Amino acid sequence: MGRILVGIGGGISAYKVCELVSRWVQAGHQVRVVLTPMAERFITPLTVSTLSRHPAYTDGDFWQATGRPLHIELGEWAEVILVAPLTADLLAKIAHGQADDLLTNTLLASTAPVLVAPAMNATMWQQLSVQSNYKMLLQWPRFHSVGTRSGLLACDAVGPGRMAEPEEIYPWVESLLITGGQRDLCQYKILVTAGGTREYLDPVRFLGNPATGAMGLALAQAANHRGAQVTLIHAPVSQRIPPLEAVVPVTSGQAMYNAVMAAFPAQDWCLMAAAVGDVQPGTYHPHKLRKRDLPDCLPLAPVPDILQALSNIKQPHQLLVGFAAQTGEIEPPAWEKLIAKKLDAIVANPVDQAQAGFGSSTNWGIWLDRQGQRLEFSLVPKLTLAHQILTATRSFYSSASSGTSAAGG
């Protein structure tokens, strides 16, 4: 488990940070909280100390002599620092290296990666001075940003400046704990597919599968957190879609085929994590069929084979990774699929075991590639597994590029 330092700025959205602190503690992380003087006007030290199971730090603690300087201790202790909400004043101080309180001194005394979550009035956010400070901050390798969101603000204005929601910030910090803040995929364009396709018989009935899209979304998030330009093509999913370079929603296998084939030529890697159906009803009925009109035998037609089509047009610099959701013995059919589809690699995972597969928050699997390498991933949260898959993909890509072509064949 990790050590997370949370710096809370003086904004109305400070209340959202309380949920994050609680979740991290429940997940087993160690959490320390620093409140700026303005933050204390919005939430109390008692609130965050109760949630973090540790006394909260304020400027009153900073100016007391108690052995080693507190900002040095906290800066060295932290593995990841979250600053939320990042107000205009706090942004200006950090961007220009000012240190006049406990939080800003701690940031300067640390080498840990920092995630900022800006939040302010839309007019304030759009000021040239604020945007200049923000761009300056993001030029430094330590600093990462979850960005702002548009919507109704506390001042009743509508526009950019809302702080990102806790469910968006939480995985960002988890990624930074895993990677140490590395942007090791910043040179890659990565296409990820997610979700389970639906093949409609009529407007209300379809052939489908139980895929929720969680694994594909985790891959897209993890790649984005590591600096990649991510294109996500997704069938219906049960989770929030993360903000990415490009997001293309589809429903059917044919629609996913069309979208993937259009996007693939511009990509370096393609991770096909979507659960695409193999067949579709032979006839689509534009109006709901009455129960008595449902056919006793349903004629089926094949859905386009996306992996096979991609392997036929893949260029030497491109990498194609498939996924195989299996029951029973998962490895033999994955090897068969790897060879038959001419893939660079495949990730096989079970869907008939507890805490793995469709709808679970955790997963495990086996990586197999055309160089004969086999890696087994143990049961972990899907975001963690996503990072492990990306690391294996990067390693394979580097190895293949330095030897034979990464395209295979």
Side-chain angles (χ1 to χ4, degrees), residues 298-376:
L298 183 63
L300 299 175
V303 170
D305 190 326
I306 302 176
L307 277 176
Q308 190 68 65
L310 291 177
S311 69
N312 291 335
I313 65 170
K314 187 178 55 158
Q315 299 301 305
H317 71 281
Q318 293 181 302
L319 188 68
L320 182 57
V321 180
F323 286 72
Q326 301 287 349
T327 60
E329 286 288 330
I330 68 173
E331 197 165 339
W335 274 119
E336 292 177 11
K337 185 174 181 179
L338 172 73
I339 296 169
K341 309 291 186 184
K342 300 178 182 177
L343 305 177
D344 292 298
I346 194 166
V347 179
N349 70 279
V351 293
D352 59 349
Q353 297 185 19
Q355 299 181 300
F358 298 138
S360 67
S361 61
T362 55
N363 208 356
W364 70 270
I366 300 172
W367 163 282
L368 307 168
D369 63 45
R370 62 177 176 80
Q371 294 180 336
Q373 181 177 213
R374 179 188 185 278
L375 299 173
E376 187 161 340

Side-chain angles (χ1 to χ4, degrees), residues 56-134:
Y57 296 106
T58 68
D59 270 17
D61 303 298
F62 182 39
W63 302 113
Q64 294 180 17
T66 56
R68 289 191 80 206
L70 179 57
H71 63 294
I72 304 297
E73 292 278 7
L74 288 173
E76 293 177 351
W77 175 86
E79 290 183 287
V80 171
I81 300 174
L82 169 68
V83 179
L86 178 72
T87 61
D89 178 66
L90 192 50
L91 169 60
K93 289 180 180 180
I94 298 171
H96 293 278
Q98 296 181 11
D100 62 355
D101 59 17
L102 176 55
L103 178 56
T104 51
N105 273 273
T106 301
L107 288 168
L108 288 180
S110 177
T111 59
V114 181
L115 178 67
V116 297
M120 64 193 76
N121 166 269
T123 302
M124 295 172 66
W125 174 246
Q126 293 169 332
Q127 290 291 336
L128 291 177
S129 57
V130 172
Q131 288 300 306
S132 177
N133 288 336
Y134 184 61

Side-chain angles (χ1 to χ4, degrees), residues 82 115-118 134 138 144-149 163-165 168-169 172 225 243:
L82 169 68
L115 178 67
V116 297
Y134 184 61
L138 296 186
H144 307 253
S145 176
V146 72
T148 62
R149 303 295 176 264
M163 192 174 91
E165 296 302 318
E168 298 175 88
I169 298 172
W172 248 110
H225 296 165

